[in-house]
């Protein structure tokens, strides 16, 4: 009686049939490297998740986005020290400077030194990239005082201006900064 099948060979032979092509273990030297880019549905091109370089570029992109978000968040809020430094530096820069002559005591003229103070604070090294200081005219006894605050801090400073007209629409500013609201 004969036995059919693969075991019908005699036991003494050592020959084996070669494995099928799909059974073969592939090494990195046997195949081409995975492509970095792949074309998806709708002809969209993206990084291939099978390629080590594609995975690395994806992770690098995500890390860059994370660092960018951290920088933007850090530069959109003022600390009390940054606001203090920027206010005092702007006051120092504006003190004795020649500016257009506005009457800061005329509350209803619409002309004041708010933008001049904001621009001077932006030009200091302590200024934030994405958040301007909040400058508004003081409501107290001194109409030529400007209250300076910033997002992210409860600190407030009061910049007092003394305007000395020179003629020809120009004036010299004298500044003084105090802590707290006006």
């Amino acid at each position: 009686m004969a036995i059919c099948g693969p075991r019908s060979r005699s036991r003494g032979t050592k020959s084996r049939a070669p494995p099928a092509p799909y059974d073969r273990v592939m090494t990195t030297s046997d195949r081409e490297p995975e492509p970095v880019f792949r074309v998806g549905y709708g002809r969209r091109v993206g990084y291939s998740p099978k390629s080590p370089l594609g995975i690395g570029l994806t992770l690098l992109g995500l890390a860059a986005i994370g660092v960018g978000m951290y920088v933007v968040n850090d530069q959109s809020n003022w600390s009390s020290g940054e606001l203090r430094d920027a206010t005092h530096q702007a006051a120092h820069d504006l003190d004795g400077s020649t500016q257009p002559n506005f009457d800061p005591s005329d509350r209803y003229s619409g002309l004041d030194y708010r933008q001049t103070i904001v621009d001077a604070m932006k030009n200091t090294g302590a200024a934030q990239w994405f958040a301007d200081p909040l400058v508004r005219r003081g409501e107290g006894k001194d109409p030529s005082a400007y209250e300076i605050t910033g997002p992210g801090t409860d600190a407030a400073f009061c910049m007092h201006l003394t305007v000395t007209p020179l003629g020809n629409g120009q004036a010299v500013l004298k500044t003084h900064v105090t802590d707290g609201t006006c």
Side-chain angles (χ1 to χ4, degrees):
M1 182 167 180
I3 300 176
C4 297
R7 294 192 183 247
S8 64
R9 291 187 213 145
S10 66
R11 293 183 186 234
T13 63
K14 295 244 178 185
S15 68
R16 290 182 64 180
Y22 54 85
D23 289 340
R24 209 171 108 206
V25 176
M26 294 184 73
T27 63
T28 54
S29 63
D30 293 339
R31 61 184 165 142
E32 293 181 21
E34 290 290 335
V36 176
F37 298 101
R38 67 177 172 88
V39 178
Y41 297 109
R43 307 287 247 175
R44 290 179 295 159
V45 177
Y47 294 126
S48 173
K50 295 180 181 178
S51 168
L53 185 58
I55 292 171
L57 289 173
T58 301
L59 293 176
L60 182 67
L62 290 173
I65 290 170
V67 168
M69 290 176 65
Y70 175 76
V71 168
V72 167
N73 185 38
D74 185 48
Q75 292 295 322
S76 62
N77 287 323
W78 289 83
S79 71
S80 59
E82 290 169 337
L83 188 64
R84 177 182 301 108
D85 293 345
T87 302
H88 285 281
Q89 182 64 41
H92 180 266
D93 294 345
L94 288 175
D95 195 32
S97 69
T98 303
Q99 301 291 331
N101 186 13
F102 302 133
D103 184 8
S105 63
D106 185 6
R107 231 177 254 279
Y108 304 106
S109 69
L111 301 173
D112 58 11
Y113 291 101
R114 247 186 301 219
Q115 192 59 46
T116 304
I117 295 169
V118 169
D119 291 342
M121 290 182 73
K122 283 182 182 179
N123 291 332
T124 66
Q128 296 297 314
W129 292 351
F130 302 109
D132 289 342
L134 304 173
V135 178
R136 65 183 183 94
R137 188 178 286 189
E139 300 293 329
K141 293 185 270 182
D142 186 4
S144 62
Y146 291 85
E147 185 175 297
I148 301 169
T149 59
T153 183
D154 293 333
F157 300 92
C158 186
M159 185 180 292
H160 304 273
L161 299 180
T162 304
V163 180
T164 306
L166 289 177
N168 290 337
Q170 297 293 312
V172 174
L173 298 182
K174 183 79 175 156
T175 61
H176 173 70
V177 176
T178 57
D179 288 351
T181 60
C182 297

